[in-house]
Amino acid sequence: MCGIIGYVGERAVIPVLLEGLRRLEYRGYDSAGVAFFDEGKISVIRALGKLFNLQELLAGYGKNPRGIGLGHTRWATHGEPAEHNAHPHGDCRQELVVVHNGIIENYHTLRGMLEQKGHKFRSQTDTEVIPHLIEEELEAGFDLPEAVRRALSKVEGAYAIGVFWAKAPHMLIAARYQSPLVLGIGEGENFMASDIPAILPWTKNVIFLDDGEMAILTKDSCQILSLRDGRKIAKEISRIHWDAAMAEKAGFKHFMLKEIYEQPQAILNTFRGRLDPETGEVNIPEICLSPEEVLSLKKICILACGTSYHAGLVGKYLFERWVRLPVEVELGSEFRYRDLLIDKNTLVIPISQSGETADTLASLRRAREVGAKAVAICNVLGSTITRESDGTIYTHAGPEIGVASTKAFTSQLTALLLLVLYFGQMRKSLSEQERRRIARSLLRVPYQVEKLIEKVHPEIKDLAYDYQRKEHFLYLGRNILFPIALEGALKLKEISYIHAEGYAAGEMKHGPIALIDENMPVVALAPANHHVYEKMISNIEEVRSRRGEILALGTEGDETLARVATRTVSLPECEWEVSPILYTIPLQLLAYEVAVVRGCDVDQPRNLAKSVTVE
């Protein structure tokens, strides 16, 4: 997830671009860059690191051109964080520049084709194919809007782009597909941006581009066209009434809530381009393991801390069922001080949102010392854990600002399921029929999560008022949902400061049942189609007989669950393999809403940091 700002008008360009990028820096902060038209040519200035570094470079530029410009703050997905990989990117003559947010799935194929035609690339990014594709169409005689439209017809993936050309310096082109883009409509000036905050200092009149649309912006006009056939589209101008603080969160009260709502897109980004929707086959060459190495594995060891550890526990159920390998899930802080029973036939999977988690990194290094292979699951390109692993599955969830992990967690679950499908097909432990079934269920998840959030959020907001004064919670789950009970309890502890414990439901009689009374709510995860459903119902009955209050999460239409529980939250029927993703969502919302009612600092809870980089 990157930030884009574009401007065409009479203002001095550099201050507009810098202010827009400042308001978008939460979308990416490993590099930033700007491009503008100055004295008959395009100038591009880029810097590695946070926006301050770019500001320092521009402070010494000495000129303040007016007219047209593009800015970008990057969250790396292809190509490590480096100045040459920073946006904007240009064509061979540097007469055309592009900024891009998204992922180009077929960029390897496109780049190979363009290199055969003589195009020279300066970066490792997927984005750079776009200016070269446009250059091809311009050389064929098409004008800029048509060249952009034709170039994008060759692109597969997600994109929001901004384009301008030295030979048409009055015109800014914007286009989107499955990546957000908004236009700002001013007097004698127009804007484009990946999010509303970037344009609010100058206008509150906006047009939201929809998928498959492009815009031609000049200082006095805004024309919307279909990317498919070039026909004109009439769009309404909306008026924004948010204040600046709300705008940075896209209208949400907190970053955490915004990130909960971003999960459908984050999950989609994780499997996009890796999962064939027709065959269910998975292709993840970036793990850098040969077929022979996959077949030689005798054991898997997952290394993680906190929320990522809970994702790893879900992975254990999936790997052991469908890959038929023994799996250990280890806390990084414990693993590093143990006598290790791993060797060259062990695969370690470090899981970390930031890629800098100190204990996980130290454990990875110990495992590597004894010859284990490593495939990381991580959200930050170029981070230390990814550099020290053989390969990495990047989750592409985008920056996560809230300290309590939400979209990073469900993206990790998605990445683990992809790896299970890949190993299952390589080792022939997973039949083609089962692979297709699981793949179809995963493909449905983004839509299911989107609808689930819309449905259950109002219900859970009401529940939060009743639970706000409770001081203890018990979360129960069985089998693959036991780790989700742990995660739900952790979320409540993290941001509402309520004591909560997650337990395997079968362990309740081994101690926790002594705590149950009318003052201790019990959250039970009980989907009807799980093979442990009857056992979960028995556990709920045991809580009920001790006057416990039961909030049950289960399948729509389950009358048995509705009868035995105090309250229920209904979820759509889903396959066992994807149930952890869906059942996580209401638990995140419950923790969030209880914390809000209690007046807690949701995005920055006390004593916690986003990334634990020291032991």
Side-chain angles (χ1 to χ4, degrees), residues 10-23:
E10 300 295 338
R11 293 180 191 267
V13 173
I14 291 175
V16 173
L17 299 180
L18 285 177
E19 178 61 20
L21 291 179
R22 185 190 68 77
R23 292 164 174 263

Side-chain angles (χ1 to χ4, degrees), residues 33 46 76 89 94 138 171 267 290 381 434 477 504:
R46 305 179 297 197
H89 291 291
Q94 294 298 292
L138 290 171
M171 181 187 298
I267 294 164
S290 68
L381 192 146
E434 291 290 0

Side-chain angles (χ1 to χ4, degrees), residues 177-202:
Y177 181 72
Q178 294 188 351
S179 189
L181 203 60
V182 61
L183 310 178
I185 309 302
E187 294 290 333
E189 59 186 3
N190 286 307
F191 305 79
M192 59 163 284
S194 50
D195 211 345
I196 291 169
I199 60 178
L200 277 186
W202 303 283

Side-chain angles (χ1 to χ4, degrees), residues 137 142-151 214 216 225 229-230:
E137 302 299 337
F142 296 102
D143 64 9
L144 181 61
E146 181 62 12
V148 171
R149 193 182 72 80
R150 293 172 69 91
M214 64 181 290
I216 306 170
L225 305 177
D229 54 19

Side-chain angles (χ1 to χ4, degrees), residues 100-351:
H100 166 229
N101 174 38
I103 300 170
I104 306 304
E105 296 173 11
N106 62 334
Y107 89 99
H108 284 294
T109 302
L110 293 173
R111 180 165 178 155
M113 178 268 292
L114 289 163
E115 286 178 331
Q116 286 183 350
K117 292 185 175 184
H119 289 263
K120 303 298 182 185
F121 285 77
R122 299 175 174 87
S123 77
Q124 287 82 48
T125 68
D126 56 336
T127 297
E128 200 180 354
V129 300
I130 299 175
H132 290 285
L133 287 171
I134 298 171
E135 181 183 14
E136 284 276 307
E137 302 299 337
L138 290 171
E139 289 181 349
F142 296 102
D143 64 9
L144 181 61
E146 181 62 12
V148 171
R149 193 182 72 80
R150 293 172 69 91
L152 291 177
S153 70
K154 300 177 174 66
V155 167
E156 297 173 9
Y159 53 80
I161 66 166
V163 184
F164 80 88
W165 186 31
K167 294 183 179 179
H170 62 287
M171 181 187 298
L172 187 64
I173 305 294
R176 71 157 281 180
Y177 181 72
Q178 294 188 351
S179 189
L181 203 60
V182 61
L183 310 178
I185 309 302
E187 294 290 333
E189 59 186 3
N190 286 307
F191 305 79
M192 59 163 284
S194 50
D195 211 345
I196 291 169
I199 60 178
L200 277 186
W202 303 283
T203 182
K204 291 191 174 183
N205 295 322
V206 303
I207 293 175
F208 295 99
L209 281 188
D210 291 315
D211 279 349
E213 293 180 349
M214 64 181 290
I216 306 170
L217 301 175
T218 69
K219 68 183 184 67
D220 297 315
S221 66
C222 173
Q223 187 177 36
I224 314 297
L225 305 177
S226 165
L227 278 172
R228 185 173 62 85
D229 54 19
R231 62 183 171 82
K232 292 182 180 180
I233 299 173
K235 303 283 285 190
E236 290 187 3
I237 296 176
S238 302
R239 180 77 176 173
I240 299 299
H241 299 287
W242 303 338
D243 61 26
M246 287 293 286
E248 290 188 6
K249 300 179 180 74
F252 292 98
K253 188 175 181 179
H254 298 96
F255 278 111
M256 181 181 175
L257 185 60
K258 177 175 180 285
E259 288 154 6
I260 289 172
Y261 272 74
E262 287 174 346
Q263 285 177 113
Q265 188 64 51
I267 294 164
L268 178 62
N269 287 347
T270 301
F271 68 69
R272 185 198 300 276
R274 294 163 167 164
L275 177 62
D276 189 317
E278 298 298 326
T279 65
E281 290 185 358
V282 173
N283 184 30
I284 39 177
E286 60 266 38
I287 68 172
C288 300
L289 293 181
S290 68
E292 294 75 21
E293 288 172 323
V294 173
L295 291 173
S296 69
L297 294 176
K298 303 299 183 187
K299 184 170 73 171
I300 292 173
C301 184
I302 299 174
L303 307 175
C305 299
T307 285
S308 297
Y309 173 73
H310 298 154
L313 290 173
V314 172
K316 175 181 174 68
Y317 286 92
L318 293 167
F319 277 109
E320 290 184 344
R321 179 166 182 177
W322 294 122
V323 184
R324 312 305 298 168
L325 282 174
V327 179
E328 298 173 359
V329 186
E330 303 281 357
L331 290 165
S333 56
E334 292 295 318
F335 178 86
R336 59 189 295 194
Y337 298 114
R338 294 219 338 258
D339 293 327
L340 303 187
L341 299 177
I342 61 177
D343 57 25
K344 64 179 181 180
N345 293 320
T346 301
L347 175 68
V348 296
I349 304 175
I351 306 177

